[in-house]
Amino acid sequence: MGFPLPSELISMVLEYVTSSQENVYLALYATINRDWQMVVERQTFSTLTINTAKRLAKFKQLSWSYRIFFVQKIDFVVELESYNGEARTRHETKEETQRNSKIFTIAIQSLFNTIATWPETETGIALSIQAQSPGDIQAMADKARKKRYKAAYLNNDLLTKRFEKSYLQFDESLCVQCLAVPIITGLSIGLCDRIIEPASSSLIASKLPRLYDMSLFLSDTCKWDPELRKRHRNNFANSLHLWPSSIRELALNFFYEAPSDENYPPSSTVEGNTDSPSEKKFSGHYRITISHSLFGHI
């Protein structure tokens, strides 16, 4: 029986192993003894990636106990309905969007109700929420993605335009009500190709009573349907009262496509009184960052 190594030395060994080898499976080193297990798990559980339905099921079944205090961030990618072949050549149907919204809602409800009982920590946990189908091009390996891009024109493959008119919704009426999750203090929603309804971001945030830092990636590109665009804007503005009063850092990121003609005047959805229903909500309460990401002609 050898002498136990200090945790600092174990950390140095693990750092050397990960820097000198590729695709290292650190969990194997947790089987050496209890000391190694604690150091390894502090690293492997610091950032959790849940990007498939199977991983979500495994996450729910795992015994967390002391491991909760190792978790600093959760990257949650909701796995949507898969598609292939002919479906790549047409826009997502209303029925497909409804099914994906149900999957999206149930997945978030499942995650939230699992961690709702976790004890609060001083720093809390940062949560990132995205959505992706196994059939989406960004879900493919690099080689397959490049091959699909090259063949897109000949195959009439719409790529990401397939779901450009589809908005994922978080709708609690589709499942058991979500519990409040006090341990989440940071939230990022929508940094992905899939579009999440702006008002749904507010509904999700409403479940996080200790939320301090929120970053939303919103879409304002539905110029093909001005009424839908106006409805999304109004619904989002009217949902701001749902935000937790604990928020102090706020970043709103809007994706939109610049017009091909730089002299073309931008459309306006504002009519009559320009007083915003959210003006009081924003007044002096947050440190706000608002940015626009340009696509298309610049």
Side-chain angles (χ1 to χ4, degrees):
M1 182 176 180
F3 294 101
L5 288 176
S7 59
E8 292 81 4
L9 286 180
I10 297 176
S11 297
M12 291 175 65
V13 172
L14 294 176
E15 183 179 353
Y16 173 77
V17 170
T18 54
S19 63
S20 60
Q21 301 179 37
E22 294 183 359
N23 302 320
V24 179
Y25 188 56
L26 282 182
L28 290 176
Y29 293 86
T31 62
I32 295 176
N33 61 36
R34 186 69 175 174
D35 294 332
W36 280 75
Q37 179 184 351
M38 294 295 289
V39 176
V40 169
E41 290 186 344
R42 188 177 296 277
Q43 293 189 29
T44 56
F45 286 102
S46 62
T47 298
L48 304 177
T49 300
I50 307 172
N51 55 8
T52 65
K54 288 184 178 179
R55 285 197 173 189
L56 177 58
K58 187 175 180 180
F59 173 85
K60 293 169 59 179
Q61 295 170 357
L62 189 63
S63 175
W64 286 97
S65 59
Y66 65 89
R67 296 186 179 102
I68 292 172
F69 301 98
F70 298 157
V71 181
Q72 299 175 25
K73 184 181 180 184
I74 298 176
D75 289 327
F76 188 45
V77 183
V78 178
E79 183 180 35
L80 303 177
E81 188 175 80
S82 187
Y83 64 92
N84 212 324
E86 176 270 338
R88 292 180 175 180
T89 66
R90 58 170 174 78
H91 283 95
E92 197 171 81
T93 66
K94 182 179 179 180
E95 291 73 22
E96 288 170 332
T97 302
Q98 289 175 340
R99 290 198 299 269
N100 278 330
S101 288
K102 185 174 182 179
I103 293 171
F104 183 71
T105 300
I106 292 175
I108 292 175
Q109 175 265 338
S110 182
L111 175 69
F112 279 19
N113 288 1
T114 299
I115 61 179
T117 58
W118 286 14
E120 297 179 18
T121 60
E122 185 176 352
T123 57
I125 294 174
L127 172 65
S128 168
I129 297 178
Q130 303 176 42
Q132 185 173 260
S133 165
D136 293 349
I137 192 163
Q138 293 304 324
M140 304 176 73
D142 288 345
K143 188 175 182 179
R145 186 188 305 127
K146 292 177 181 177
K147 183 178 179 180
R148 183 175 168 187
Y149 266 125
K150 289 180 179 180
Y153 180 77
L154 292 177
N155 295 334
N156 296 318
D157 191 337
L158 293 180
L159 302 176
T160 58
K161 289 186 177 296
R162 166 175 157 76
F163 41 82
E164 67 179 351
K165 300 181 180 181
S166 303
Y167 287 79
L168 291 171
Q169 294 181 312
F170 178 74
D171 184 358
E172 283 190 279
S173 67
L174 299 175
C175 62
V176 178
Q177 186 174 10
C178 274
L179 300 176
V181 186
I183 199 170
I184 300 297
T185 55
L187 177 66
S188 172
I189 299 179
L191 186 57
C192 55
D193 288 333
R194 290 284 178 162
I195 307 172
I196 299 172
E197 181 198 41
S200 290
S201 297
S202 297
L203 289 170
I204 294 170
S206 71
K207 304 300 178 182
L208 311 175
R210 290 181 62 224
L211 186 61
Y212 183 91
D213 185 351
M214 181 166 71
S215 181
L216 303 181
F217 294 84
L218 307 172
S219 175
D220 194 32
T221 59
C222 46
K223 300 172 184 177
W224 43 270
D225 190 339
E227 287 303 316
L228 176 62
R229 189 183 193 191
K230 185 185 298 184
R231 186 163 67 250
H232 279 163
R233 288 184 172 191
N234 290 338
N235 289 344
F236 180 59
N238 292 328
S239 72
L240 300 187
H241 72 280
L242 298 173
W243 293 1
S245 59
S246 56
I247 297 177
R248 291 296 179 271
E249 302 283 341
L250 174 64
L252 299 179
N253 306 274
F254 294 89
F255 294 92
Y256 72 97
E257 185 175 355
S260 56
D261 183 356
E262 62 182 11
N263 296 314
Y264 184 80
S267 61
S268 174
T269 59
V270 179
E271 298 176 1
N273 185 4
T274 58
D275 291 339
S276 169
S278 59
E279 180 179 357
K280 196 171 182 181
K281 180 75 177 176
F282 282 105
S283 179
H285 192 66
Y286 311 116
R287 186 170 77 181
I288 307 173
T289 301
I290 300 179
S291 65
H292 291 75
S293 297
L294 294 174
F295 293 91
H297 300 274
I298 299 179

